[in-house]
Amino acid sequence: MVSRMLILIALYISSVAGETEEAPYTVLKEHQGWEEREFPATKWVSIDVFSITVHDSPEQQKAFFQLFNYIDGQNSEGMKIPMTAPVSFRILPGEGPNCESNFTLSFYIPSNLQENTPLPLDSAVYIEERAPIKVAAKTFGGFVNSDIEFAIQAAELYELAFAEGLGVADVPLWTASYSGPNVIINRRNEVWLEIN
C-alpha cells in the first residue's frame, strides 16, 4: 500500500505542475473490455528487482526511490525530469509459490529527452531501450494494493485474447499505473500481455 502511495504521490507532483506525459502507443484493434496495442521503440529509466511480492514490497519501494532520485536530478546532467506515466512493471514470476520474482520497474523518459537522455548516477539504475512491442491491454480502475488483483486482471485478459484467437504470452506479465493520488474515480491501471 505504501509503495502505491509513493507512485501516486510522484504522479500527483507531476500532475500539479501540468499535464503528465504518457508513453506513446497505437491502438491496433479495440475489443470489448480490452485492446490490441503497439508501443514504438522508446527509452525508459529502469531498475531490476528480486522479491517474493512485486507490488508494495520493501524492495519495490527502495527501487521506486532510486528511479525517483534519477528524475529528481541524480543524473549526468543534474536536471529534474518531469514524472511521466505509466509506471510500468515487467514481471518474470518465480518458479513456484514463495519464490522470488524478477521484475523491472520503469519510468518512461519524456519525449524531449528520448534522443539525449541523461545517464543515471546510481549503478543499479539504467536506461532501457525498449524495442517496439505489441500487447493485449486491459484497463481497470480502483486503488490496487496487491499482486493478486493484477494477476486476476491478467488471467481475465488472457482468456479474452484466447477467445478471440489471439496468441499471447503469459510471461512476462506487464502491469502499469497511470493515475496520480488526486484521481479518486476513473483511476487507470493496466495489465499487458505480449502478443506472440
Side-chain angles (χ1 to χ4, degrees):
M1 179 74 166
V2 172
S3 64
R4 285 282 169 211
M5 289 308 296
L6 296 174
I7 292 171
L8 298 175
I9 289 167
L11 289 172
Y12 174 74
I13 290 168
S14 178
S15 69
V16 169
E19 190 75 21
T20 302
E21 182 178 354
E22 294 183 2
Y25 63 84
T26 302
V27 175
L28 302 174
K29 186 173 183 183
E30 291 188 29
H31 299 269
Q32 187 164 340
W34 64 285
E35 59 192 19
E36 296 173 45
R37 293 184 189 160
E38 182 170 21
F39 287 89
T42 50
K43 290 182 182 176
W44 297 66
V45 61
S46 300
I47 187 168
D48 297 325
V49 184
F50 293 91
S51 177
I52 291 174
T53 305
V54 175
H55 300 91
D56 203 26
S57 68
E59 296 84 1
Q60 184 267 322
Q61 292 172 25
K62 179 183 176 200
F64 177 87
F65 276 114
Q66 287 175 274
L67 292 181
F68 189 81
N69 288 340
Y70 167 82
I71 67 169
D72 196 39
Q74 292 183 20
N75 56 63
S76 61
E77 302 304 314
M79 70 186 305
K80 293 195 183 284
I81 299 170
M83 186 68 190
T84 57
V87 173
S88 75
F89 292 79
R90 180 179 180 267
I91 305 163
L92 298 169
E95 294 187 15
N98 298 318
C99 292
E100 286 187 331
S101 294
N102 172 2
F103 66 92
T104 303
L105 176 63
S106 304
F107 297 171
Y108 170 68
I109 299 289
S111 57
N112 66 323
L113 296 173
Q114 286 284 312
E115 292 299 317
N116 296 308
T117 307
L119 299 176
L121 299 179
D122 183 334
S123 63
V125 175
Y126 61 95
I127 302 302
E128 177 184 1
E129 296 192 27
R130 290 189 186 169
I133 183 174
K134 291 182 181 177
V135 300
K138 184 175 188 288
T139 303
F140 60 100
F143 285 92
V144 183
N145 53 15
S146 75
D147 291 343
I148 295 170
E149 180 62 24
F150 280 112
I152 290 168
Q153 295 293 333
E156 290 176 9
L157 176 58
Y158 187 90
E159 290 178 13
L160 290 167
F162 184 79
E164 290 289 325
L166 187 66
V168 292
D170 55 352
V171 174
L173 168 63
W174 293 81
T175 66
S177 298
Y178 284 81
S179 302
N182 57 328
V183 179
I184 304 301
I185 58 173
N186 297 321
R187 296 186 53 74
R188 183 177 174 193
N189 306 295
E190 294 184 345
V191 289
W192 306 333
L193 298 175
E194 294 182 15
I195 297 174
N196 295 331

